[in-house]
PDB file of all heavy atoms in Angstrom:
ATOM      1  N   ASP A   6       4.279   2.169   2.735  1.00 98.00           N
ATOM      2  CA  ASP A   6       4.323   3.075   1.624  1.00 98.00           C
ATOM      3  C   ASP A   6       5.552   4.012   1.827  1.00 98.00           C
ATOM      4  O   ASP A   6       5.416   5.112   2.246  1.00 98.00           O
ATOM      5  CB  ASP A   6       3.004   3.896   1.577  1.00 98.00           C
ATOM      6  CG  ASP A   6       2.723   4.567   0.290  1.00 98.00           C
ATOM      7  OD1 ASP A   6       3.165   4.050  -0.737  1.00 98.00           O
ATOM      8  OD2 ASP A   6       2.036   5.594   0.278  1.00 98.00           O
ATOM      9  N   THR A  26       5.174  -0.455  -1.001  1.00 98.00           N
ATOM     10  CA  THR A  26       4.800   0.259  -2.209  1.00 98.00           C
ATOM     11  C   THR A  26       5.696   1.471  -2.297  1.00 98.00           C
ATOM     12  O   THR A  26       6.035   2.096  -1.241  1.00 98.00           O
ATOM     13  CB  THR A  26       3.334   0.720  -2.233  1.00 98.00           C
ATOM     14  OG1 THR A  26       3.022   1.334  -0.958  1.00 98.00           O
ATOM     15  CG2 THR A  26       2.370  -0.451  -2.413  1.00 98.00           C
ATOM     16  N   THR A  27       6.147   1.784  -3.501  1.00 98.00           N
ATOM     17  CA  THR A  27       6.904   2.971  -3.750  1.00 98.00           C
ATOM     18  C   THR A  27       6.267   3.689  -4.908  1.00 98.00           C
ATOM     19  O   THR A  27       5.369   3.122  -5.598  1.00 98.00           O
ATOM     20  CB  THR A  27       8.372   2.642  -4.106  1.00 98.00           C
ATOM     21  OG1 THR A  27       8.449   1.979  -5.367  1.00 98.00           O
ATOM     22  CG2 THR A  27       9.056   1.869  -2.969  1.00 98.00           C
ATOM     23  N   ASN A  28       6.651   4.930  -5.151  1.00 98.00           N
ATOM     24  CA  ASN A  28       6.256   5.705  -6.356  1.00 98.00           C
ATOM     25  C   ASN A  28       7.290   6.736  -6.584  1.00 98.00           C
ATOM     26  O   ASN A  28       8.255   6.862  -5.765  1.00 98.00           O
ATOM     27  CB  ASN A  28       4.841   6.293  -6.096  1.00 98.00           C
ATOM     28  CG  ASN A  28       4.795   7.279  -4.917  1.00 98.00           C
ATOM     29  OD1 ASN A  28       5.738   8.058  -4.728  1.00 98.00           O
ATOM     30  ND2 ASN A  28       3.694   7.275  -4.213  1.00 98.00           N
ATOM     31  N   SER A  30       7.471   9.880  -6.265  1.00 98.00           N
ATOM     32  CA  SER A  30       7.620  10.881  -5.198  1.00 98.00           C
ATOM     33  C   SER A  30       8.403  10.270  -4.016  1.00 98.00           C
ATOM     34  O   SER A  30       9.223  10.932  -3.440  1.00 98.00           O
ATOM     35  CB  SER A  30       6.248  11.392  -4.726  1.00 98.00           C
ATOM     36  OG  SER A  30       5.547  11.877  -5.815  1.00 98.00           O
ATOM     37  N   LEU A  31       8.151   9.025  -3.721  1.00 98.00           N
ATOM     38  CA  LEU A  31       8.845   8.361  -2.562  1.00 98.00           C
ATOM     39  C   LEU A  31      10.278   8.089  -2.927  1.00 98.00           C
ATOM     40  O   LEU A  31      11.144   8.128  -2.039  1.00 98.00           O
ATOM     41  CB  LEU A  31       8.118   7.097  -2.180  1.00 98.00           C
ATOM     42  CG  LEU A  31       6.698   7.320  -1.608  1.00 98.00           C
ATOM     43  CD1 LEU A  31       5.931   6.007  -1.458  1.00 98.00           C
ATOM     44  CD2 LEU A  31       6.750   8.066  -0.239  1.00 98.00           C
ATOM     45  N   LYS A  83       4.241  -1.284 -11.103  1.00 98.00           N
ATOM     46  CA  LYS A  83       3.176  -0.302 -10.825  1.00 98.00           C
ATOM     47  C   LYS A  83       2.919   0.523 -12.083  1.00 98.00           C
ATOM     48  O   LYS A  83       3.861   1.108 -12.596  1.00 98.00           O
ATOM     49  CB  LYS A  83       3.483   0.523  -9.631  1.00 98.00           C
ATOM     50  CG  LYS A  83       2.354   1.050  -8.799  1.00 98.00           C
ATOM     51  CD  LYS A  83       2.933   1.701  -7.548  1.00 98.00           C
ATOM     52  CE  LYS A  83       1.893   2.368  -6.714  1.00 98.00           C
ATOM     53  NZ  LYS A  83       2.511   3.146  -5.660  1.00 98.00           N
ATOM     54  N   THR A 107      -2.248   1.855 -10.312  1.00 98.00           N
ATOM     55  CA  THR A 107      -2.269   2.901  -9.250  1.00 98.00           C
ATOM     56  C   THR A 107      -3.049   4.170  -9.787  1.00 98.00           C
ATOM     57  O   THR A 107      -3.402   4.235 -10.967  1.00 98.00           O
ATOM     58  CB  THR A 107      -0.818   3.293  -8.942  1.00 98.00           C
ATOM     59  OG1 THR A 107      -0.867   4.148  -7.765  1.00 98.00           O
ATOM     60  CG2 THR A 107      -0.037   3.972 -10.003  1.00 98.00           C
ATOM     61  N   SER A 127      -5.024   0.092  -6.770  1.00 98.00           N
ATOM     62  CA  SER A 127      -4.677   1.057  -5.677  1.00 98.00           C
ATOM     63  C   SER A 127      -5.591   2.268  -5.716  1.00 98.00           C
ATOM     64  O   SER A 127      -5.286   3.293  -6.387  1.00 98.00           O
ATOM     65  CB  SER A 127      -3.232   1.553  -5.781  1.00 98.00           C
ATOM     66  OG  SER A 127      -2.349   0.417  -5.467  1.00 98.00           O
ATOM     67  N   PHE A 129      -6.885   5.626  -4.126  1.00 98.00           N
ATOM     68  CA  PHE A 129      -6.225   6.616  -3.248  1.00 98.00           C
ATOM     69  C   PHE A 129      -7.259   7.296  -2.340  1.00 98.00           C
ATOM     70  O   PHE A 129      -7.922   8.231  -2.738  1.00 98.00           O
ATOM     71  CB  PHE A 129      -5.522   7.685  -4.086  1.00 98.00           C
ATOM     72  CG  PHE A 129      -4.147   7.300  -4.577  1.00 98.00           C
ATOM     73  CD1 PHE A 129      -3.828   5.939  -4.819  1.00 98.00           C
ATOM     74  CD2 PHE A 129      -3.169   8.256  -4.758  1.00 98.00           C
ATOM     75  CE1 PHE A 129      -2.511   5.644  -5.284  1.00 98.00           C
ATOM     76  CE2 PHE A 129      -1.902   7.909  -5.211  1.00 98.00           C
ATOM     77  CZ  PHE A 129      -1.575   6.608  -5.464  1.00 98.00           C
ATOM     78  N   GLY A 131      -6.966   9.034   0.697  1.00 98.00           N
ATOM     79  CA  GLY A 131      -6.758  10.411   1.244  1.00 98.00           C
ATOM     80  C   GLY A 131      -6.889  11.484   0.208  1.00 98.00           C
ATOM     81  O   GLY A 131      -7.431  12.603   0.497  1.00 98.00           O
ATOM     82  N   ARG A 132      -6.501  11.186  -1.060  1.00 98.00           N
ATOM     83  CA  ARG A 132      -6.590  12.219  -2.057  1.00 98.00           C
ATOM     84  C   ARG A 132      -8.060  12.516  -2.460  1.00 98.00           C
ATOM     85  O   ARG A 132      -8.341  13.635  -2.920  1.00 98.00           O
ATOM     86  CB  ARG A 132      -5.736  11.874  -3.329  1.00 98.00           C
ATOM     87  CG  ARG A 132      -4.288  11.918  -2.952  1.00 98.00           C
ATOM     88  CD  ARG A 132      -3.391  11.859  -4.123  1.00 98.00           C
ATOM     89  NE  ARG A 132      -2.022  11.564  -3.693  1.00 98.00           N
ATOM     90  CZ  ARG A 132      -0.959  11.574  -4.443  1.00 98.00           C
ATOM     91  NH1 ARG A 132      -1.089  11.835  -5.755  1.00 98.00           N
ATOM     92  NH2 ARG A 132       0.220  11.273  -3.927  1.00 98.00           N
ATOM     93  N   ASP A 135      -9.278  14.677   0.274  1.00 98.00           N
ATOM     94  CA  ASP A 135      -8.761  16.031   0.078  1.00 98.00           C
ATOM     95  C   ASP A 135      -9.665  16.972  -0.740  1.00 98.00           C
ATOM     96  O   ASP A 135      -9.670  18.164  -0.544  1.00 98.00           O
ATOM     97  CB  ASP A 135      -7.417  16.009  -0.658  1.00 98.00           C
ATOM     98  CG  ASP A 135      -6.242  15.508   0.173  1.00 98.00           C
ATOM     99  OD1 ASP A 135      -6.379  15.496   1.424  1.00 98.00           O
ATOM    100  OD2 ASP A 135      -5.215  15.122  -0.386  1.00 98.00           O
ATOM    101  N   LEU A 161      -5.930  -2.743  -2.878  1.00 98.00           N
ATOM    102  CA  LEU A 161      -4.799  -2.222  -2.059  1.00 98.00           C
ATOM    103  C   LEU A 161      -5.137  -0.761  -1.754  1.00 98.00           C
ATOM    104  O   LEU A 161      -4.832   0.157  -2.603  1.00 98.00           O
ATOM    105  CB  LEU A 161      -3.524  -2.377  -2.956  1.00 98.00           C
ATOM    106  CG  LEU A 161      -2.149  -2.285  -2.330  1.00 98.00           C
ATOM    107  CD1 LEU A 161      -1.071  -2.563  -3.329  1.00 98.00           C
ATOM    108  CD2 LEU A 161      -1.876  -0.984  -1.615  1.00 98.00           C
ATOM    109  N   ALA A 162      -5.698  -0.517  -0.607  1.00 98.00           N
ATOM    110  CA  ALA A 162      -6.114   0.796  -0.230  1.00 98.00           C
ATOM    111  C   ALA A 162      -4.891   1.667  -0.002  1.00 98.00           C
ATOM    112  O   ALA A 162      -4.043   1.303   0.813  1.00 98.00           O
ATOM    113  CB  ALA A 162      -6.978   0.810   1.012  1.00 98.00           C
ATOM    114  N   ALA A 163      -4.746   2.802  -0.755  1.00 98.00           N
ATOM    115  CA  ALA A 163      -3.567   3.626  -0.711  1.00 98.00           C
ATOM    116  C   ALA A 163      -3.963   4.996  -0.296  1.00 98.00           C
ATOM    117  O   ALA A 163      -5.129   5.310  -0.158  1.00 98.00           O
ATOM    118  CB  ALA A 163      -2.889   3.601  -2.101  1.00 98.00           C
ATOM    119  N   SER A 164      -2.893   5.821  -0.131  1.00 98.00           N
ATOM    120  CA  SER A 164      -3.075   7.225   0.360  1.00 98.00           C
ATOM    121  C   SER A 164      -3.837   7.110   1.683  1.00 98.00           C
ATOM    122  O   SER A 164      -4.793   7.895   1.946  1.00 98.00           O
ATOM    123  CB  SER A 164      -3.850   8.027  -0.699  1.00 98.00           C
ATOM    124  OG  SER A 164      -3.941   9.376  -0.347  1.00 98.00           O
ATOM    125  N   ILE A 165      -3.373   6.199   2.552  1.00 98.00           N
ATOM    126  CA  ILE A 165      -3.963   6.052   3.886  1.00 98.00           C
ATOM    127  C   ILE A 165      -3.208   6.993   4.812  1.00 98.00           C
ATOM    128  O   ILE A 165      -1.962   6.921   4.942  1.00 98.00           O
ATOM    129  CB  ILE A 165      -3.796   4.580   4.350  1.00 98.00           C
ATOM    130  CG1 ILE A 165      -4.561   3.618   3.429  1.00 98.00           C
ATOM    131  CG2 ILE A 165      -4.084   4.425   5.823  1.00 98.00           C
ATOM    132  CD1 ILE A 165      -6.077   3.807   3.491  1.00 98.00           C
ATOM    133  N   ARG A 166      -3.910   7.924   5.404  1.00 98.00           N
ATOM    134  CA  ARG A 166      -3.271   8.994   6.163  1.00 98.00           C
ATOM    135  C   ARG A 166      -3.579   8.923   7.675  1.00 98.00           C
ATOM    136  O   ARG A 166      -2.832   9.539   8.425  1.00 98.00           O
ATOM    137  CB  ARG A 166      -3.803  10.359   5.649  1.00 98.00           C
ATOM    138  CG  ARG A 166      -3.747  10.475   4.164  1.00 98.00           C
ATOM    139  CD  ARG A 166      -2.723  11.489   3.736  1.00 98.00           C
ATOM    140  NE  ARG A 166      -2.705  11.722   2.266  1.00 98.00           N
ATOM    141  CZ  ARG A 166      -3.556  12.627   1.677  1.00 98.00           C
ATOM    142  NH1 ARG A 166      -4.330  13.394   2.396  1.00 98.00           N
ATOM    143  NH2 ARG A 166      -3.528  12.697   0.381  1.00 98.00           N
ATOM    144  N   THR A 183      -1.902   0.199   2.248  1.00 98.00           N
ATOM    145  CA  THR A 183      -0.499   0.645   2.274  1.00 98.00           C
ATOM    146  C   THR A 183      -0.515   1.987   2.969  1.00 98.00           C
ATOM    147  O   THR A 183      -1.217   2.916   2.625  1.00 98.00           O
ATOM    148  CB  THR A 183       0.165   0.694   0.872  1.00 98.00           C
ATOM    149  OG1 THR A 183       1.551   0.974   1.066  1.00 98.00           O
ATOM    150  CG2 THR A 183      -0.472   1.749  -0.058  1.00 98.00           C
ATOM    151  N   ALA A 184       0.414   2.155   3.993  1.00 98.00           N
ATOM    152  CA  ALA A 184       0.452   3.377   4.721  1.00 98.00           C
ATOM    153  C   ALA A 184       1.873   3.725   5.032  1.00 98.00           C
ATOM    154  O   ALA A 184       2.759   2.820   5.156  1.00 98.00           O
ATOM    155  CB  ALA A 184      -0.367   3.199   6.042  1.00 98.00           C
ATOM    156  N   PRO A 185       2.136   5.024   5.268  1.00 98.00           N
ATOM    157  CA  PRO A 185       3.503   5.410   5.680  1.00 98.00           C
ATOM    158  C   PRO A 185       3.810   4.824   6.977  1.00 98.00           C
ATOM    159  O   PRO A 185       2.927   4.548   7.801  1.00 98.00           O
ATOM    160  CB  PRO A 185       3.365   6.940   5.761  1.00 98.00           C
ATOM    161  CG  PRO A 185       2.179   7.331   5.040  1.00 98.00           C
ATOM    162  CD  PRO A 185       1.214   6.187   5.117  1.00 98.00           C
TER     163      PRO A 185
HETATM  164  O1  G3P B   1       0.487   4.800  -2.223  1.00 60.25           O
HETATM  165  C1  G3P B   1       0.027   6.052  -2.649  1.00 60.25           C
HETATM  166  C2  G3P B   1       0.447   7.057  -1.709  1.00 60.25           C
HETATM  167  O2  G3P B   1       1.856   7.213  -1.724  1.00 60.25           O
HETATM  168  C3  G3P B   1      -0.175   8.394  -1.911  1.00 60.25           C
HETATM  169  O3  G3P B   1      -0.321   8.929  -0.646  1.00 60.25           O
HETATM  170  O4  G3P B   1      -0.596  10.669   0.973  1.00 60.25           O
HETATM  171  O5  G3P B   1       0.619  11.130  -1.188  1.00 60.25           O
HETATM  172  O6  G3P B   1      -1.867  10.823  -1.150  1.00 60.25           O
HETATM  173  P1  G3P B   1      -0.540  10.464  -0.506  1.00 60.25           P
END
Side-chain angles (χ1 to χ4, degrees):
D6 198 28
T26 50
T27 64
N28 61 38
S30 304
L31 294 170
K83 210 169 173 189
T107 189
S127 290
F129 277 30
R132 291 192 194 186
D135 285 344
L161 197 174
S164 189
I165 296 296
R166 311 249 184 89
T183 188

